[in-house]
Amino acid sequence: MKKIAVFLSGTGRTLENLIKWLPPDIVISLVVSDRADVRGNHIARHYDIPLEPYIIQGWISTLETCRQRGIDLICLAGFLQRIDVTEYWQNKILNIHPSLLPAFGGKGMYGHRVHEAVLARGCKVSGCTVHYVDNEYDHGKIIAQEVVPIYSNDTPDTLATRVFERECYLYPEVIKDYFSQKQSN
Ligand code: GRF
């Protein structure tokens, strides 16, 4: 059995999707939230997944808690803080971003801001990216991407919906691959 922790700041739609699509041998054994009372926290409680606040300082830091609990992989899911990735966690933290990185990423680029910027630039395609997390926003090595078309009548909302559909497919697939590749190494 593999244990993952999901870090969130908001609605928890990505958490819900992972709960639905991860196989039984990949267990979400911890949810970490940096906000009180967001919908994502309610989802964690609803599914009886232990919920912890995000703490960055000292010996109780959340990354250390994850290590002590035997978490194999951390998956960011709409988590808005930058993480200082310690050596132990290199290549063990994933993020999903709603654009084709390296375009439209970085500090302040999240949620609808991304889709607004993509449409304002006149892009003809967009998509989503799963990447390893390093010490810069949306910067680590790219693992997988999915592309979606952009139509002339798209709004940030319609584009966000189309991209999120691909995210729902891509993230569980990458997580499954991550563990199956580890096994075959
Ligand atoms: C998605 O846009 C994803 O790409 C980004 O956060 C959004 C999902 O957040 N990382 P949530 O799951 O709805 O809270």
Side-chain angles (χ1 to χ4, degrees), residues 100 124-128 145-150 162-163 166 170:
L100 296 172
K124 302 304 172 205
V125 293
S126 189
C128 53
Q145 295 183 305
E146 282 281 310
V147 179
V148 303
I150 292 179
R162 192 173 311 122
V163 170
R166 299 319 297 158
L170 187 65

Side-chain angles (χ1 to χ4, degrees), residues 132-150:
Y132 287 112
V133 172
D134 66 10
N135 290 338
E136 288 177 49
Y137 282 106
D138 303 323
H139 177 265
K141 188 175 179 208
I142 291 171
I143 302 169
Q145 295 183 305
E146 282 281 310
V147 179
V148 303
I150 292 179

Side-chain angles (χ1 to χ4, degrees), residues 9 34-35 54 76 78-85 95-97 99 101-110 131-141:
S9 303
D34 68 334
R35 308 215 172 168
Y54 183 60
L76 307 189
F79 187 66
L80 298 179
Q81 306 245 5
R82 194 184 64 78
I83 290 186
D84 277 318
V85 182
N95 183 40
I96 187 156
H97 182 79
S99 76
L101 291 175
F104 304 105
K107 192 168 166 43
M109 268 296 183
Y110 60 86
H131 64 94
Y132 287 112
V133 172
D134 66 10
N135 290 338
E136 288 177 49
Y137 282 106
D138 303 323
H139 177 265
K141 188 175 179 208

